[in-house]
Amino acid sequence: MTSIRFALNHMAAPSLAIDDFFALAKSLGIDSVEIRNDLSGNAILDGTKPEAIREAAARHGLTIISINALQRFNEWNETRAKEARELIDYAAACGAKALVLVPKNDGTGCADGERQANLRQSLAALKPMLDKAGIIGLVEPLGFEICSLRSKTEAAEAIRELGAQSIFKLVHDTFHHHLAGEAATFPDLAGLVHISGVSDPSVSVADMRDSHRVLVDGDDRLDNAGQIKALLQAGYKGPFSFEPFAAEVHAVKDPAAALRASMDYLTARV
């Protein structure tokens, strides 16, 4: 039996202050965490210095695997370059190993030819910035029909074309993998797996959104257990990070118990 290396994204308990979030991870026997730059009133947006994050992670014995995320990364311009520099600097200063790169998800830049060119332009610009800082860029295709980068295959082709496999890795998100309907997985290029389930029996796949993403249980419609098992059997050795967005998960009074139940459920099936 192969064991699952669980990690915890701050989206699993976004109301917790960073120190309490780190303590939650540690209480579950988890040693890898992802911090976010989109939680208002919380690190990073509240102005918490990266050195304070680094110190807190060290105190709890945790590795910060990523900052999540540089949004619209495949729309390269001066604004994006500035955001990238700031996030890469913050990642380096707080001890984060990687920066998640999220594509445009508004129906623009989706045309064949256009989306591949935009992707290559952004990766080429980010490559020296990441390389200099010693930070990995984690490219995360999104499965939504309006997304400008749905395909892990297209992302993998661009990374290999640049000869940048040591600088860029893929995020395999179990939710987005299911929505994209793409069979291919890239265990050799995967640097991180995001896990969340959809239990609502009434929502169609085309209508699934972040708000439907809960902790994985017996009602999961995305086959998280099957996806995780296949990735492990194919040689993926990285972390599997809980990333539930649903309000009902965030409202749970005892997040540790809820997460433990999901960890136990998945561990028993892999």
Side-chain angles (χ1 to χ4, degrees):
M1 182 170 137
T2 314
S3 61
I4 305 172
R5 267 185 63 203
F6 287 111
L8 206 56
N9 187 299
H10 204 163
M11 192 52 75
S15 63
L16 292 182
I18 203 82
D19 203 68
D20 296 328
F21 167 62
F22 287 174
L24 169 65
K26 202 65 185 169
S27 75
L28 292 164
I30 287 172
D31 63 6
S32 298
V33 290
E34 293 184 87
I35 61 174
R36 304 184 66 94
N37 65 328
D38 60 357
L39 299 179
S40 57
N42 217 324
I44 301 166
L45 284 185
D46 67 359
T48 300
K49 293 281 185 281
E51 293 78 12
I53 303 282
R54 180 190 280 268
E55 192 273 325
R59 193 168 64 249
H60 290 282
L62 297 172
T63 298
I64 301 172
I65 49 178
S66 85
I67 292 178
N68 195 327
L70 176 64
Q71 299 287 341
R72 303 177 72 88
F73 88 93
N74 57 343
E75 178 183 55
W76 199 255
N77 51 39
E78 284 182 24
T79 303
R80 203 70 60 248
K82 181 174 181 289
E83 289 170 353
R85 271 193 300 274
E86 288 173 356
L87 280 169
I88 290 167
D89 287 348
Y90 197 102
C94 79
K97 305 294 184 193
L99 174 62
V100 175
L101 307 171
V102 173
K104 287 195 297 179
N105 188 43
D106 59 5
T108 65
C110 296
D112 199 27
E114 180 188 10
R115 63 177 188 271
Q116 293 91 338
N118 288 344
L119 172 62
R120 280 159 176 75
Q121 179 191 15
S122 294
L123 293 180
L126 281 162
K127 183 183 173 187
M129 299 167 72
L130 291 162
D131 192 26
K132 185 180 177 188
I135 302 293
I136 295 290
L138 291 169
V139 179
E140 181 167 23
L142 306 183
F144 302 123
E145 289 175 8
I146 59 168
C147 185
S148 57
L149 178 60
R150 300 185 74 198
S151 163
K152 287 190 289 296
T153 301
E154 281 188 11
E157 283 171 356
I159 290 167
R160 287 179 174 139
E161 209 174 276
L162 273 173
Q165 296 95 317
S166 63
I167 295 169
F168 295 104
K169 304 290 181 191
L170 296 178
V171 177
H172 177 113
D173 183 297
T174 56
F175 172 81
H176 290 299
H177 180 75
H178 188 85
L179 266 60
E182 182 182 29
T185 62
F186 295 86
D188 57 319
L189 261 183
L192 176 63
V193 177
H194 281 152
I195 53 177
S196 60
V198 174
S199 301
D200 183 343
S202 63
V203 63
S204 70
V205 172
D207 289 332
M208 287 180 182
R209 295 294 179 265
D210 280 341
S211 59
H212 296 106
R213 296 172 65 175
V214 296
L215 294 173
V216 182
D217 61 16
D219 295 322
D220 178 37
R221 294 175 54 191
L222 309 180
D223 190 25
N224 271 267
Q227 289 191 50
I228 290 169
K229 194 170 187 174
L231 283 163
L232 288 170
Q233 287 175 344
Y236 174 72
K237 294 182 172 61
F240 293 84
S241 184
F242 284 104
E243 194 190 32
F245 284 82
E248 60 263 37
V249 177
H250 298 165
V252 167
K253 293 287 181 280
D254 187 354
L259 284 157
R260 170 63 65 196
S262 191
M263 290 166 71
D264 290 346
Y265 171 80
L266 287 168
T267 300
R269 278 153 187 81
V270 170

